Amino acid sequence: MKFATLLVALACAMGVSAFAPTAPLRALTTRSVESKVTMMAAKTGAKLKYVNAIPLSDLPKPGSAVGAVVGGLDVCIAVGTDGLIYALGGKAPPTGTPLKDGKVGKNTIKDAQYGTEFNLETGAVEGKWCPGGIGFIVGKLVAPEGVPTYRVKKSGAFIQVEVDVAYKKNYESNYWRGILDAQGKTDGGYY
């Protein structure tokens, strides 16, 4: 019985040693190839520009908000109860719910999902973070985070928002572009 147990233990040890790492084969077979081809798009600098967001006829009444896509960005156009117009990022952290559904006050907009209030001028969190619903759990897991704010103006028959029109291109420049060879390389070299 003891001999059988010893034999099984020895067989297991030998089986495990078959998977133990040895000298890295990769180090012996790789070579360094300097690639002159890049598969990443070049980043351009920020290009701030006023872009038409919504027609004046679509401007919400004081105390409410509307969503718009401006220069590829999701933006919330909010009108404070005092009639001032503000532009903020359209997604409320932490889950990205539409901020346009929130309740607008004089200085803040309240997220419809968790009840977090964001300052209309700075985008910073005011008061408690995620106070409503199951937000008390989410608020403990995710650190408080504000929303971006944008400059806004009336121009002719439109409300315009100043956004970085190169933002989407710069964001997408982090992705590879082009065709890969059979080994997943961009320059045709060998491993």
Side-chain angles (χ1 to χ4, degrees):
M1 182 79 160
K2 289 183 179 183
F3 179 73
T5 306
L6 180 65
L7 188 61
V8 169
L10 185 61
C12 288
M14 290 175 55
V16 169
S17 68
F19 296 104
T22 59
L25 182 61
R26 174 175 236 170
L28 300 173
T29 59
T30 60
R31 65 182 176 111
S32 176
V33 177
E34 190 68 32
S35 176
K36 294 176 178 43
V37 179
T38 179
M39 297 309 283
M40 304 298 280
K43 284 191 177 188
T44 59
K47 294 181 184 176
L48 294 177
K49 183 178 171 184
Y50 279 97
V51 179
N52 290 344
I54 58 170
L56 280 173
S57 60
D58 291 347
L59 188 65
K61 63 183 184 194
S64 56
V66 67
V69 176
V70 184
L73 298 174
D74 187 12
V75 176
C76 172
I77 310 290
V79 181
T81 54
D82 57 0
L84 292 177
I85 303 169
Y86 300 93
L88 302 100
K91 296 181 181 175
T95 58
T97 57
L99 202 53
K100 68 180 175 82
D101 297 333
K103 183 178 179 185
V104 182
K106 183 177 179 186
N107 297 320
T108 61
I109 184 167
K110 187 175 184 178
D111 172 30
Q113 184 177 27
Y114 294 126
T116 304
E117 292 191 44
F118 300 97
N119 186 296
L120 290 171
E121 291 182 10
T122 65
V125 175
E126 289 203 357
K128 288 188 173 183
W129 170 247
C130 298
I134 63 165
F136 70 94
I137 296 172
V138 175
K140 291 182 183 351
L141 299 174
V142 180
E145 179 183 345
V147 293
T149 57
Y150 306 99
R151 297 171 81 190
V152 64
K153 71 177 185 178
K154 289 182 185 178
S155 178
F158 287 93
I159 296 295
Q160 292 186 331
V161 177
E162 185 182 40
V163 295
D164 179 6
V165 294
Y167 178 82
K168 184 176 178 185
K169 181 179 179 184
N170 287 337
Y171 179 79
E172 290 175 350
S173 71
N174 291 326
Y175 296 101
W176 67 272
R177 58 180 168 78
I179 299 173
L180 301 177
D181 66 8
Q183 294 181 347
K185 296 190 63 149
T186 58
D187 61 0
Y190 293 99
Y191 289 107

